[in-house]
Amino acid sequence: MITRTIEQIENRKITKAERERLNRVAALPDDQIDTSDIPEVKDRAGWVRVHEHPEHPLHRVLSRLLSIRLPEPDIALAQRLAESKGLPYQTYIKSLLHEALERERVLAERR
């Protein structure tokens, strides 16, 4: 088993050998992968899928379906801006929310 910190992952490229190893593991049936060192998520209520974290390609994040009401002009603006960036508008809104939450977290930690 190889253990790396997020900083180590962020500061280097995955080698060809590592990518091949990941592909071999990805091809294994789930029951043949040793997950005994991974803590179990007990409450999965409302969690719908797993996706790759945009900033940490080896870190996978649980996502939960959420419904919120947004003003129509904000949605229209998000759609225009997302289109100019070549992104789906919901992905763009999600990235904006993530960036804003990270800024607020950093500000809160400074206080």
Side-chain angles (χ1 to χ4, degrees), residues 14-59:
I14 296 174
T15 66
K16 183 177 179 182
E18 288 170 326
R19 185 164 308 284
E20 289 171 357
R21 184 171 181 230
L22 287 170
N23 288 336
R24 283 194 307 273
V25 171
L28 286 173
D30 288 348
D31 62 350
Q32 291 184 13
I33 300 172
D34 179 14
T35 59
S36 60
D37 62 336
I38 302 171
E40 188 66 32
V41 176
K42 302 274 188 222
D43 180 16
R44 295 177 186 258
W47 296 93
V48 293
R49 66 186 176 100
V50 176
H51 65 89
E52 289 186 359
H53 190 284
E55 296 160 5
H56 309 292
L58 297 181
H59 179 69

Side-chain angles (χ1 to χ4, degrees), residues 54-55 68 70-71 73-85 87-105:
E55 296 160 5
I68 62 172
L70 298 173
D74 290 348
I75 296 170
L77 177 58
Q79 288 172 325
R80 285 194 308 275
L81 293 171
E83 184 178 5
S84 73
K85 295 175 181 290
L87 295 171
Y89 81 96
Q90 291 179 350
T91 301
Y92 178 65
I93 291 171
K94 187 167 62 171
S95 70
L96 290 175
L97 177 60
H98 176 75
E99 290 169 8
L101 290 171
E102 279 298 305
R103 266 193 318 271
E104 290 297 315
R105 182 188 60 77

